[in-house]
Amino acid sequence: MLKKRRTFIIGLGAALLCSLFLILNVANVQAKQVLQLGAQAPLDTIDISTSTGYGQTGNIFESLYRLGQKGKIEAGLAKSSQVSDDGLTWTFKIRKAQFSNGDPIRAQDFVYSWQRTIKPTTKSPYTNLLSNIKNAPAIADGKLDPKQLGVKALDKHTLQVTLTKPVAYMKTLMAYPLFAPQDQKVIEKYGKKYATKSKYMVYSGPFKLKGWSGTSEEWQFKKNPRYWDYKKVKLSAVKFTVLENTSTALYLYQDGRLDLTQLDNQQVENYSSNRDFKRYPYAQTYFLKYNFNSDNQQVKHILNNQDARLALSLAINRKTMNNRLYGFKTNPVTGFVASGLANSPVKKVDFAKSQAVPHTVDYEPKLAKEYWQKALKATGMKKVTLSLTVDSDNPNTSYVSQYLKGQLEEILPGFQLNLRTVPSQVASSRDHEGDYDILLSAWGADFKDPISFLEIMLPGAANNTGGFKNADYQKNVDLATNQDANDPSQRWADMVEAAQVLNRTQSLTPLYQNETGYLQNPKVKGIIHNTAGTQWSYKTAYIKGQ
């Protein structure tokens, strides 16, 4: 807990608002081993089968494994596992454990959970993560019964999973809360009420949820006394309060009422040298997505010209952009796959370093002009007008789009970029319908493996709305996921080559990686943050001196 109130300047209106908020919502004294956090938005759901994200919920739902520091695989509800020589059959031994209501956790609870997620009526947005399990795609399409999914309980404590192809990152995938067990008895008991409030749910993780009613502005993760590794959990609770205003959140942190607060761009500029400042990167890359199948023939012609795309990339000063967005030095973008996601199996080299190709995502305005002139000559065009569609709900996109317009029009003769700024739902709709020239898009890894990025650019993938196709790219991704799946070094080489194809062709143009600045109470220790999957874990967190 911060003992002294730090001095800062705040407007009178904001001060009154903060004072009112403190009186109504925040306790005056931080309880022993209670972590106080802000949230940008309410939890939308606690049903793991329908959730659209799992950044915090790994604290209340545990699967077969957990992610430790730097993505290290740690023990979860599986006490051991075996895989067949061909990599197609995994057998997990489930430890003796309980749900938060005292019901035993059995292998069948995993079977039921995965079957519930994959069936079409559930409408899970993450069925793709089950796609390598036998019969999963056909079940998701409604062609087979969910009971035909390649997962079964051999006995109460033995779970067998049958795959259609080897999955080199299987243990990492099994740390995702999506694969946690679900208590069928509880789901049937509550029916439509299930997961609508925290009391209509049971939990398998180190904490259980309290005080959430579906639209709550406040809720708690309370220590789960029935968690199998209960003794390692030091916090008695983690308290969340929705704080959409960053000024209010900063006030509460400065006053010792929050232990961790996210900073906006201006705050980062002001506090990046503060002793409490910390950077937390995310495996999320923002990039330009090109519509290779545009109905406009001139747009289609120029975007299908590789020299034109290289010119666009080389005309962008990413260092300037990053400094304006985050106010501190960030990892340089070297390609589509984010830095800090995964290291090579032998020498432990970051994938982002290996994917780099010179003269592709660098700032080289002279070379950009040369490529642009080649593109104009090849297409017979003297002037080019393209539109850039951006999401107005993202606070960074206004600056990014304006910067790109100014920079590209200045460097590339005869180029005009029109901005189409629309709400996020409209941008998403236009993305799926292919109604764009260039789209400012983003992709974040669901799990700590480069394939989480690379697979979305395959033909037919839901996110490949621009229609990108490249034989070399497809060949290398196919090798990594099939022939070489059981050879870690060769699989890595395949993925590096695939990522380099994206760079050489600029089939998409990476811009920047999402990094967030925070102020963190220096007495808070043991928080685990990962760039992908379940990003925040409080299992080992504690407040020093309390």
Side-chain angles (χ1 to χ4, degrees):
M1 184 172 70
L2 303 179
K3 294 181 178 179
K4 295 183 178 179
R5 176 170 175 167
R6 301 184 183 96
T7 303
F8 64 101
I9 300 173
I10 190 167
L12 178 60
L16 292 173
L17 175 64
C18 291
S19 298
L20 178 61
F21 188 91
L22 287 172
I23 293 170
L24 295 176
N25 295 292
V26 182
N28 289 326
V29 180
Q30 189 181 57
K32 186 177 182 181
Q33 292 303 325
V34 174
L35 190 64
Q36 303 272 10
L37 302 178
Q40 291 184 305
L43 287 172
D44 58 350
T45 181
I46 55 171
D47 185 343
I48 59 174
S49 287
T50 61
S51 180
T52 57
Y54 303 90
Q56 300 272 7
T57 51
N59 291 286
I60 53 178
F61 302 114
E62 181 159 286
S63 187
L64 296 166
Y65 295 98
R66 297 185 64 81
L67 291 183
Q69 292 285 9
K70 298 182 179 179
K72 181 181 178 182
I73 298 297
E74 294 184 346
L77 293 173
K79 63 179 182 180
S80 66
S81 65
Q82 288 184 325
V83 59
S84 59
D85 290 340
D86 62 6
L88 298 180
T89 303
W90 283 78
T91 304
F92 301 94
K93 286 292 183 181
I94 309 302
R95 68 176 69 253
K96 187 177 180 180
Q98 296 178 331
F99 287 106
S100 56
N101 66 345
D103 287 349
I105 294 175
R106 309 156 303 156
Q108 180 58 34
D109 296 313
F110 288 89
V111 175
Y112 172 76
S113 177
W114 300 5
Q115 289 176 348
R116 179 173 180 264
T117 297
I118 198 68
K119 66 181 181 181
T121 53
T122 301
K123 298 181 180 179
S124 170
Y126 280 94
T127 54
N128 64 298
L129 295 185
L130 290 85
S131 62
N132 290 321
I133 300 175
K134 184 180 178 180
N135 294 330
I139 296 169
D141 289 340
K143 297 175 181 178
L144 288 178
D145 190 285
K147 292 182 179 179
Q148 292 183 263
L149 185 67
V151 55
K152 59 182 177 180
L154 301 183
D155 57 46
K156 287 184 179 181
H157 297 286
T158 308
L159 179 71
Q160 185 183 83
V161 182
T162 303
L163 307 175
T164 54
K165 62 175 67 175
V167 178
Y169 49 91
M170 187 67 171
K171 286 188 176 181
T172 299
L173 191 62
M174 291 298 105
Y176 214 51
L178 175 75
F179 295 94
Q182 297 185 56
D183 193 333
Q184 183 176 0
K185 184 179 73 175
V186 169
I187 293 175
E188 292 175 349
K189 173 185 175 181
Y190 292 130
K192 291 182 179 180
K193 289 183 178 180
Y194 177 72
T196 58
K197 294 183 179 181
S198 53
K199 65 181 179 179
Y200 301 138
M201 169 63 79
V202 291
Y203 308 94
S204 56
F207 299 91
K208 54 185 180 178
L209 186 63
K210 291 287 186 181
W212 182 79
S213 62
T215 57
S216 306
E217 298 290 305
E218 294 181 331
W219 62 88
Q220 295 185 40
F221 290 168
K222 297 281 286 187
K223 187 173 181 177
N224 180 3
R226 290 194 168 96
Y227 178 58
W228 70 270
D229 207 16
Y230 172 84
K231 292 182 180 179
K232 289 187 180 177
V233 182
K234 299 179 177 66
L235 293 174
S236 60
V238 182
K239 291 187 176 181
F240 292 89
T241 304
V242 174
L243 301 168
E244 296 178 1
N245 185 302
T246 55
S247 296
T248 302
L250 180 60
Y251 177 92
L252 296 176
Y253 178 83
Q254 296 278 20
D255 207 41
R257 314 294 178 112
L258 287 180
D259 292 304
L260 182 71
T261 186
Q262 182 176 331
L263 302 175
D264 62 29
N265 296 344
Q266 185 60 52
Q267 291 168 343
V268 165
E269 218 173 286
N270 295 335
Y271 289 91
S272 59
S273 59
N274 190 289
R275 69 181 184 122
D276 295 357
F277 182 78
K278 289 183 72 70
R279 294 166 52 194
Y280 283 114
Y282 293 89
Q284 183 183 45
T285 301
Y286 281 79
F287 62 97
L288 298 180
K289 181 190 288 190
Y290 301 114
N291 188 353
F292 297 105
N293 295 327
S294 174
D295 292 334
N296 184 309
Q297 290 304 307
Q298 283 193 319
V299 170
K300 184 176 182 179
H301 202 29
I302 195 69
L303 290 181
N304 277 275
N305 185 287
Q306 181 172 306
D307 290 331
R309 299 192 303 271
L310 281 164
L312 291 170
S313 179
L314 294 169
I316 300 169
N317 189 331
R318 293 167 176 81
K319 182 178 180 180
T320 297
M321 186 187 301
N322 282 340
N323 287 343
R324 173 63 181 83
L325 287 173
Y326 299 117
F328 53 87
K329 185 178 179 182
T330 60
N331 293 318
V333 171
T334 60
F336 185 39
V337 179
S339 64
L341 177 68
N343 293 326
S344 59
V346 179
K347 295 184 178 181
K348 303 303 178 185
V349 178
D350 193 321
F351 188 91
K353 183 176 181 180
S354 299
Q355 75 180 341
V357 176
H359 314 301
T360 59
V361 293
D362 310 288
Y363 178 49
E364 299 183 49
K366 182 178 179 182
L367 184 57
K369 290 179 181 179
E370 292 177 10
Y371 276 123
W372 186 246
Q373 293 299 336
K374 287 174 63 178
L376 293 180
K377 184 177 180 180
T379 58
M381 302 171 71
K382 293 183 178 180
K383 293 185 178 181
V384 174
T385 300
L386 297 173
S387 64
L388 173 65
T389 300
V390 297
D391 167 11
S392 62
D393 297 334
N394 185 321
N396 287 335
T397 56
S398 175
Y399 165 73
V400 172
S401 60
Q402 292 292 338
Y403 170 79
L404 290 173
K405 177 177 173 63
Q407 185 77 0
L408 295 175
E409 291 181 351
E410 178 183 350
I411 301 295
L412 307 178
F415 181 64
Q416 180 177 329
L417 186 66
N418 295 330
L419 304 182
R420 300 171 66 186
T421 304
V422 296
S424 59
Q425 288 186 336
V426 177
S428 178
S429 176
R430 292 183 181 178
D431 182 11
H432 291 131
E433 294 171 3
D435 180 18
Y436 62 92
D437 297 343
I438 307 175
L439 180 75
L440 179 57
S441 189
W443 182 257
D446 292 316
F447 50 90
K448 292 182 70 64
D449 191 275
I451 204 69
S452 186
F453 276 90
L454 301 177
E455 65 184 358
I456 76 162
M457 293 304 293
L458 291 172
N463 285 279
N464 187 8
T465 58
F468 164 66
K469 293 180 182 178
N470 181 284
D472 287 340
Y473 183 79
Q474 289 176 239
K475 180 189 74 174
N476 281 285
V477 174
D478 183 66
L479 286 171
T481 55
N482 290 286
Q483 179 180 316
D484 299 331
N486 284 329
D487 183 339
S489 295
Q490 188 55 50
R491 175 178 180 269
W492 187 265
D494 295 336
M495 292 191 296
V496 168
E497 177 57 30
Q500 289 181 343
V501 168
L502 291 181
N503 269 342
R504 287 193 293 268
T505 63
Q506 279 304 292
S507 300
L508 54 80
T509 294
L511 297 177
Y512 59 94
Q513 182 174 343
N514 186 7
E515 289 208 27
T516 307
Y518 286 81
L519 292 181
Q520 180 174 319
N521 180 351
K523 291 187 177 182
V524 174
K525 308 293 183 182
I527 289 179
I528 293 174
H529 175 268
N530 276 292
T531 62
T534 303
Q535 292 155 348
W536 298 96
S537 173
Y538 309 115
K539 176 178 174 177
T540 57
Y542 65 97
I543 302 172
K544 188 177 181 180
Q546 289 194 1

